[in-house]
């Protein structure tokens, strides 16, 4: 091209010279015209050969001669464009126009030595082409004012594209070199090739096993990419599924009709794609890593350029993909333990450090469980390392099953594991997980056809209580582990020994209580309630007792809370209801009827939808008269959902008596009681205790009694221990009293005796 441009320049100089020579005499006008015609003919020929367009602008008349090549370069026939300056003005890109005019003016005025500009011009088929425009002054007036400007147009669109492509290519290589994320590079590669071929859309898929995974496809609809993600490849799965399967290029001219697309064309057609060419992306050793796909919205096979680009795109992508996959493998190796697939020690330390940071910021606690298998060395020595490995894999799975998603579990080395437990509710959360670990690990396992029962020891440390940095925390957990081993293995220990004792006790209570409830080893005592006017026993409250051969007598407050925690409160209550109601019926049969049997119902159980059917069943099974049964619930049920309203109503319609227990200690008010159907308020012992020393307590009790009466409730005072309390309550108008003054809670036989003798009031 450069050689041609030189010859053009020479020709132009020749014309210039000719024109200068011819310009002087009129006589020579004829000759001049012929010469000019001739030279223009030669010039135009040369131009056509040189693939350049020619223009010749008469500045005075604004007539412009455009050569046929000039016009065809823009897609026009000879007769389609007028020979005037408007033609150029209409076709030049509006953003380039002023610059071009300015450059021409500068050159004509002598402010610039030459005229050479790059402009965009509009092609007839509506695309822009890049044009290099050069020009020379070829005629001047006697006063040296230029009158004609002759120039060439060269279509440099391809050259521009190549430059842009090379530029993009360099950018991509730079991205690879500095290690940008693979997905970013995939997108850049796609956009680069799409730039070169208007209408083209590219995609890169990675092959994982036999599944196609999304790599990059910035111009394809995300719905389509999602649909392809995870697709199994095969001998006839679209273009990319097939090319990754066969390892060979697959060119599909028409997605609609090609049998390879039969099963998945419904994914592509709605988005406009009509052809798809796919090149497998291969590693340096020839393994298929994925596929590069090119799509157009019309059926087509690639031309030579497109085919070249398809294979070069796949090659370029392979560099990125191979490196990315290698890095991922290395990372996975470093972060996970190859044998058990749990996190590695390195990963664990990173996680622990991050946990310390966030926990210190948000003032959270977390627990670290250090787990070590008991007697693992023996397995390795006696059954061999393969058996040892099998056991470790098995243990890893079991430990994992005890953890929640938010917990972090790692294998630190050999037979050592670690679990980081976040979001603790109390000290027992860690103990619970530890206990679950002990239980699951100690399930028998078959190793080399022999049954083996593994065991482990666990040390527990808390952040920040036992250490507030990585080293001190691990040391604390390790110390605790040592204590657990020393205590006889197959157990856990906290760093703080008192926590171990508390947790052990709690678990024992849970375990024994479960057995006690299942085997009905609890007992009931009854405490009389005395009518303050008559001295008669008008009812008893049934209270549970648990005497355990090892634990001794466990206070009801403790075992009731435990039963709620371990989900045993329902069977417990059921047993109490059934036993107490049977007792009431028995007393009646024996001839000393107790008018009312009061039974405590835990709030959580009371608001359960099964409570009403349960009470119905108890009434039927025991034969107790419903009006003789009273249920005591605390104020907390008054606070909760209005749905409880219907429970109160349903129980009332059975004829049951309802009492609010511990009244005055919760947050309910008379107002909130108003809409509940309640018969009785039991004023808490707390008020009775203070009543004689504290004016306010006395005032409060007085108002509670008065107010309660006005609302139609009967009032029971709890914990009455002295006769002063008794008289004061009587004077305040209290109906009933319950307390040690009359009787502690006693066995059923004792009640039978008490009931015969009224209290002397
Ligand atoms: P509560 O329902 O308020 O029962 C009254 C408690 O006060 C009983 O304690 C009783 O022994 C004690 N008491 C009665 N009079 C006096 C007194 O004059 N002086 C003193 N110092 N104490 C007195 P107990 O039996 O230890 O029961 C404690 C709590 O355990 C009960 O409080 C009740 O909330 C719960 N509870 C006991 N048995 C059951 C049961 O079968 N089911 C449910 N859900 N809770 C029960
Ligand atoms: Ca009670
Ligand atoms: Ca009470």
């Amino acid at each position: 091209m450069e050689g041609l441009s030189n010859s053009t320049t020479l020709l132009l100089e020749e014309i210039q010279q000719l024109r200068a020579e011819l310009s002087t005499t009129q006589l020579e006008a004829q000759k001049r015209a012929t010469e000019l015609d001739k030279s223009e003919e030669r010039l135009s020929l040369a131009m056509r050969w040189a693939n350049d367009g020619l223009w010749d602008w008469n500045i005075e008349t604004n007539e412009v001669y455009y050569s046929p090549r000039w016009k065809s370069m823009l897609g026009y026939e000879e007769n389609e464009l007028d020979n005037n300056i408007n033609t150029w003005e209409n076709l030049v890109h509006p953003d380039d126009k002023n610059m071009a005019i300015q450059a021409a003016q500068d050159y004509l005025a002598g402010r610039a030595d030459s005229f050479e500009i790059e402009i965009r011009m509009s092609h007839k088929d509506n695309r822009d082409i890049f044009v290099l425009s050069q020009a020379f002054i070829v005629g001047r007036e006697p006063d040296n004012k230029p009158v004609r400007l002759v120039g060439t147009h060269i279509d440099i669109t391809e050259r521009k594209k190549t430059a842009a492509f090379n530029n993009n290519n360099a950018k991509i290589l730079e991205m690879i070199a500095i290690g940008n994320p693979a997905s970013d590079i995939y997108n850049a590669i796609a956009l680069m090739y799409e730039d070169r071929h208007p209408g083209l859309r590219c995609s890169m898929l990675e092959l994982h096993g036999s599944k196609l995974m999304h790599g990059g496809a910035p111009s394809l609809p995300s719905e389509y990419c999602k649909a392809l993600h995870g697709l199994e490849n095969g001998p006839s799965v679209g273009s990319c599924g097939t090319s990754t399967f066969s390892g060979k290029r697959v060119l599909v001219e028409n997605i609609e009709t090609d049998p390879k697309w039969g099963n998945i064309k419904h994914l592509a057609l709605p988005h406009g794609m009509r052809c798809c060419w796919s090149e497998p992306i291969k590693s340096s050793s020839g393994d298929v890593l994925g596929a590069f796909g090119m799509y157009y919205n019309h059926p087509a096979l690639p031309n030579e350029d497109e085919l070249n680009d398809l294979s070069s795109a796949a090659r370029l992508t392979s560099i990125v993909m191979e490196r990315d996959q290698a890095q991922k493998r290395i990372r996975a190796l470093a972060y996970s333990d190859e044998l058990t697939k749990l996190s590695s020690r390195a990963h664990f330390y990173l996680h622990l450090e991050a946990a310390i940071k966030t926990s210190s910021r948000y003032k959270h606690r977390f627990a670290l469980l250090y787990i070590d298998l008991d007697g693992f060395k023996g397995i390795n020595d006696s059954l061999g390392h393969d058996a040892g490995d099998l056991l470790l894999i098995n243990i890893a799975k079991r430990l994992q099953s005890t953890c929640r998603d938010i917990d972090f579990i790692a294998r630190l080395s050999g037979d050592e594991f670690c679990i980081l437990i976040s979001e603790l509710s109390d000290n027992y959360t860690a103990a619970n997980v530890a206990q679950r670990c002990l239980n699951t690990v100690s399930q028998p396992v078959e190793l080399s056809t022999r049954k083996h029962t593994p065991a482990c020891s666990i040390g527990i440390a808390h952040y920040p209580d036992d250490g507030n940095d990585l080293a001190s925390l691990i040391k604390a957990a390790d110390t605790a582990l040592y204590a657990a081993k020393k205590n006889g293995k197959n157990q856990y220990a906290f760093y703080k020994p008192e926590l171990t004792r508390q947790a052990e006790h709690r678990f024992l209570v849970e375990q024994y209580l479960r057995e006690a409830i299942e085997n009905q080893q609890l007992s009931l005592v009854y405490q009389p309630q005395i009518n303050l006017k008559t001295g008669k026993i008008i009812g008893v409250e049934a209270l549970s007792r648990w005497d355990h051969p090892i634990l001794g007598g466990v206070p009801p407050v403790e075992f009731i809370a435990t039963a709620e925690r371990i989900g045993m409160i329902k069977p417990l209550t059921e047993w109490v209801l059934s036993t107490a109601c049977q007792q009431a019926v028995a007393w009646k049969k024996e001839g000393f009827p107790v008018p009312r049997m009061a039974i405590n119902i835990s709030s959580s159980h009371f608001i359960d939808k099964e409570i009403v059917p349960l009470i119905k069943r108890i009434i039927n099974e025991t034969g107790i008269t419903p009006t003789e049964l009273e249920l005591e619930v605390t104020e907390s049920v008054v606070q909760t959902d209005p749905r409880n309203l219907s429970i109160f109503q349903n129980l009332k319609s059975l004829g049951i008596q309802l009492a609010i227990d511990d009244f005055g200690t919760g947050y309910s008010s008379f107002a909130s009681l108003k809409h509940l159907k309640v018969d009785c308020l039991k004023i808490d012992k707390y008020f009775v205790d203070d009543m004689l020393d504290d004016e306010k307590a006395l005032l409060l009790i007085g108002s509670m009694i008065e107010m309660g009466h006005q609302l139609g409730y009967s009032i029971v005072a709890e914990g009455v221990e002295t006769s002063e309390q008794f008289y004061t309550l009587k004077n305040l108008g209290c109906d009933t009293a319950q307390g040690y003054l009359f009787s502690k809670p006693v066995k059923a036989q004792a009640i039978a005796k008490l009931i015969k003798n009224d209290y002397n009031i």
Side-chain angles (χ1 to χ4, degrees):
M1 186 67 82
E2 258 182 61
L4 296 177
S5 296
N6 282 342
S7 67
T8 317
T9 320
L10 286 174
L11 270 165
L12 283 165
E13 278 168 4
E14 193 185 333
I15 299 166
Q16 209 167 349
Q17 209 181 327
L18 270 170
R19 288 191 171 175
E21 283 168 14
L22 287 170
S23 67
T24 40
T25 64
Q26 192 63 31
L27 187 73
E28 281 173 300
Q30 184 63 39
K31 192 177 162 198
R32 178 187 132 186
T34 7
E35 289 289 342
L36 191 61
D37 278 353
K38 231 193 206 165
S39 43
E40 269 179 358
E41 212 180 289
R42 281 166 63 196
L43 181 66
S44 133
L45 274 171
M47 287 302 161
R48 201 170 298 157
W49 178 55
N51 222 12
D52 294 355
L54 172 78
W55 51 270
D56 182 346
W57 175 25
N58 183 326
I59 295 164
E60 288 179 324
T61 64
N62 259 348
E63 271 176 332
V64 188
Y65 164 78
Y66 301 106
S67 73
R69 173 64 195 144
W70 191 98
K71 292 175 183 168
S72 70
M73 199 181 277
L74 296 169
Y76 292 95
E77 296 291 329
E78 176 66 39
N79 56 356
E80 282 185 295
L81 296 174
D82 294 338
N83 282 338
N84 57 40
I85 194 73
N86 288 344
T87 298
W88 177 83
E89 283 190 346
N90 290 336
L91 292 172
V92 70
H93 194 286
D95 294 350
D96 295 347
K97 191 166 157 185
N98 288 342
M99 176 275 292
I101 292 172
Q102 185 64 48
Q105 281 169 354
D106 287 351
Y107 177 55
L108 291 171
R111 289 190 296 271
D113 293 341
S114 61
F115 177 88
E116 180 175 319
I117 53 170
E118 284 181 15
I119 48 173
R120 281 163 294 172
M121 298 203 62
S122 174
H123 191 275
K124 193 180 174 187
D125 63 17
N126 262 339
R127 63 193 159 90
D128 284 341
I129 64 166
F130 285 88
V131 167
L132 175 67
S133 179
Q134 291 167 308
F136 311 88
I137 297 167
V138 292
R140 290 182 190 274
E141 303 251 287
D143 63 355
N144 210 28
K145 191 174 160 218
V147 287
R148 291 182 66 191
L149 200 58
V150 172
T152 56
H153 268 190
I154 305 170
D155 183 347
I156 55 165
T157 312
E158 277 310 309
R159 199 201 299 169
K160 276 271 180 198
K161 269 194 189 171
T162 310
F165 182 74
N166 288 341
N167 197 12
N168 283 337
N169 230 322
K171 268 192 207 136
I172 286 167
L173 292 177
E174 191 182 305
M175 287 172 91
I176 296 175
I178 61 176
N180 280 16
S183 55
D184 291 357
I185 309 180
Y186 293 152
N187 286 348
I189 293 176
L191 294 174
M192 174 173 80
Y193 283 98
E194 289 169 6
D195 233 27
R196 258 160 88 83
H197 305 283
L200 177 74
R201 291 192 276 178
C202 300
S203 90
M204 277 141 277
L205 290 166
E206 288 184 37
L207 186 67
H208 290 195
S210 60
K211 281 200 165 74
L212 298 171
M213 306 303 241
H214 176 74
S219 310
L220 288 175
S222 64
E223 201 184 318
Y224 177 70
C225 297
K226 268 190 213 136
L228 285 201
H229 187 72
L231 195 71
E232 286 279 332
N233 72 353
S236 201
V237 182
S239 306
C240 292
T242 311
S243 75
T244 51
F245 187 79
S246 64
K248 297 203 173 74
R249 172 183 300 166
V250 171
L251 303 177
V252 167
E253 185 177 4
N254 191 340
I255 290 176
E256 208 160 2
T257 55
D258 194 303
K260 285 189 283 300
W261 276 83
N263 289 331
I264 55 168
K265 65 179 172 193
H266 63 279
L267 302 175
L269 296 177
H271 301 294
M273 289 87 91
R274 284 295 179 277
C275 67
C276 177
W277 318 319
S278 173
E279 180 83 15
I281 298 169
K282 293 187 177 173
S283 71
S284 42
S285 55
D287 297 330
V288 177
L289 303 173
F292 195 100
M294 288 184 162
Y295 295 83
Y296 273 110
N297 282 5
H298 53 263
L301 283 172
N303 60 29
E304 201 183 324
D305 271 356
E306 289 162 336
L307 214 51
N308 285 340
D309 280 356
L310 180 62
S311 51
S312 74
R315 264 201 315 280
L316 183 59
T317 311
S318 77
I319 300 171
V320 187
M321 214 172 261
E322 185 163 18
R323 205 166 90 154
D324 183 53
Q325 293 190 358
Q327 270 170 357
K328 278 187 187 142
R329 251 196 322 279
I330 291 167
R331 220 172 295 145
L333 278 180
Y335 282 168
S336 80
D337 166 48
E338 224 179 332
L339 181 70
T340 62
K341 306 290 178 255
L342 296 181
S343 292
S344 66
R345 177 186 284 268
H347 196 186
F348 180 73
Y349 284 169
L350 281 180
H351 187 87
L352 184 56
E353 224 145 37
I356 289 174
K357 258 194 209 134
T358 40
S359 301
S360 109
R361 186 174 329 134
Y362 297 112
K363 305 248 174 310
H364 284 169
R365 291 174 82 216
F366 66 83
L368 198 63
L369 263 60
Y370 220 95
I371 304 163
D372 188 283
L373 288 187
D374 296 335
F376 180 69
K377 195 171 169 297
I379 296 283
N380 261 344
D381 292 349
S382 60
L383 301 177
H385 284 267
D386 285 350
D389 282 357
L390 262 176
L391 179 63
L392 289 175
I393 293 170
N394 195 303
I395 297 293
K397 282 208 187 95
R398 294 177 180 193
L399 290 177
Q400 206 156 22
S401 71
T402 65
C403 294
R404 299 164 300 172
D405 282 350
I406 53 162
D407 301 331
F408 187 91
I409 172 163
R411 177 174 170 233
L412 301 190
S413 67
D415 61 343
E416 272 178 17
F417 300 84
C418 228
I419 301 178
L420 196 152
I421 305 162
S422 26
E423 292 180 21
L424 305 174
S425 40
D426 51 35
N427 282 330
Y428 300 108
T429 309
N432 272 320
V433 179
Q435 187 60 50
R436 283 207 304 273
C437 290
L438 292 176
N439 294 346
T440 167
V441 165
S442 60
Q443 299 300 312
V445 57
E446 199 159 301
L447 290 177
S448 314
T449 71
R450 261 190 266 173
K451 205 164 130 186
H452 171 73
T453 306
C456 65
S457 301
I458 302 173
I460 307 172
H462 279 106
Y463 171 89
D465 325 35
D466 306 331
N468 54 13
D469 58 40
L470 193 134
S472 59
L473 205 55
I474 290 180
K475 189 159 177 285
D478 194 47
T479 308
L481 174 65
Y482 178 75
K485 290 257 180 209
K486 210 172 120 215
N487 291 344
K489 304 190 172 171
N490 194 20
Q491 53 184 283
Y492 62 82
F494 282 90
Y495 179 65
K496 290 203 177 77
E498 68 269 23
L499 290 188
T500 312
R501 277 193 294 277
Q502 283 167 18
E504 269 167 5
H505 175 75
R506 184 165 142 132
F507 275 117
L508 274 185
V509 171
E510 285 179 2
Q511 187 190 328
Y512 291 144
L513 181 65
R514 198 180 291 275
E515 288 167 13
I517 295 171
E518 274 163 7
N519 304 329
Q520 308 202 333
Q521 289 162 349
L522 304 186
S523 61
L524 283 184
V525 288
Y526 303 89
Q527 188 175 32
Q529 298 176 333
I530 314 300
N531 181 315
L532 286 183
K533 288 197 191 93
T534 63
K536 277 191 190 317
I537 295 180
I538 55 108
V540 293
E541 177 179 3
L543 294 158
S544 303
R545 291 291 176 264
W546 180 33
D547 268 308
H548 187 267
I550 297 169
L551 299 173
V554 183
V557 194
E558 187 183 339
F559 71 77
I560 294 293
T562 307
E564 284 173 355
R565 195 172 61 242
I566 62 173
M568 292 296 281
I569 193 67
K570 282 193 204 173
L572 183 146
T573 311
E574 205 176 319
W575 173 82
V576 174
L577 278 165
S578 161
T579 311
C581 291
Q582 276 172 36
Q583 185 61 61
V585 173
W587 277 328
K588 214 180 205 177
K589 275 195 191 138
E590 287 163 30
F592 22 81
V594 176
R596 200 164 72 193
M597 175 61 78
I599 294 169
N600 294 286
I601 308 286
S602 291
S603 306
S604 64
H605 193 187
F606 187 81
I607 57 176
D608 190 285
K609 59 183 186 316
E610 285 165 34
I611 190 74
V612 180
L614 171 68
I615 300 297
K616 275 188 192 160
R617 184 159 62 79
I618 294 289
I619 293 171
N620 285 337
E621 281 173 10
T622 60
I624 190 168
T625 312
T627 47
E628 289 170 10
L629 173 61
E630 181 171 70
L631 302 182
E632 293 188 3
V633 285
T634 54
E635 289 170 279
S636 59
V637 293
V638 179
Q639 291 291 310
T640 44
D641 218 78
R643 262 178 301 179
N644 300 340
L645 213 76
S646 71
I647 294 179
F648 276 90
Q649 251 154 9
N650 289 337
L651 289 174
K652 273 319 299 170
S653 63
L654 290 178
I656 304 281
Q657 304 281 307
L658 292 172
I660 300 295
D661 205 354
D662 304 340
F663 186 75
T665 57
Y667 297 95
S668 69
S669 59
F670 282 103
S672 62
L673 285 178
K674 204 175 56 192
H675 54 280
L676 296 175
K677 294 202 181 312
V678 169
D679 304 279
C680 175
L681 299 185
K682 295 188 79 177
I683 295 176
D684 194 75
K685 178 173 182 297
Y686 169 85
F687 296 100
V688 177
D689 278 349
D690 286 4
M691 179 177 69
L692 297 179
D693 308 321
D694 184 346
E695 281 276 311
K696 277 189 195 141
L698 184 68
L699 211 68
L700 264 172
I701 283 208
S703 344
M704 280 195 261
I705 294 170
E706 199 186 318
M707 194 86 134
H709 279 161
Q710 274 173 14
L711 292 166
Y713 307 128
S714 90
I715 310 289
V716 179
E718 288 190 293
V720 181
E721 292 179 343
T722 66
S723 41
E724 285 112 301
Q725 290 170 338
F726 163 76
Y727 284 115
T728 311
L729 287 164
K730 190 174 151 109
N731 288 337
L732 287 173
C734 184
D735 307 288
T736 312
Q738 180 182 345
Y740 292 177
L741 177 65
F742 311 104
S743 169
K744 287 197 166 180
V746 291
K747 294 246 163 66
Q749 302 91 300
I751 290 289
K753 276 184 207 137
L754 285 175
I755 201 106
K756 286 187 209 146
N757 313 312
D758 291 346
Y759 288 92
N760 270 329
I761 306 178

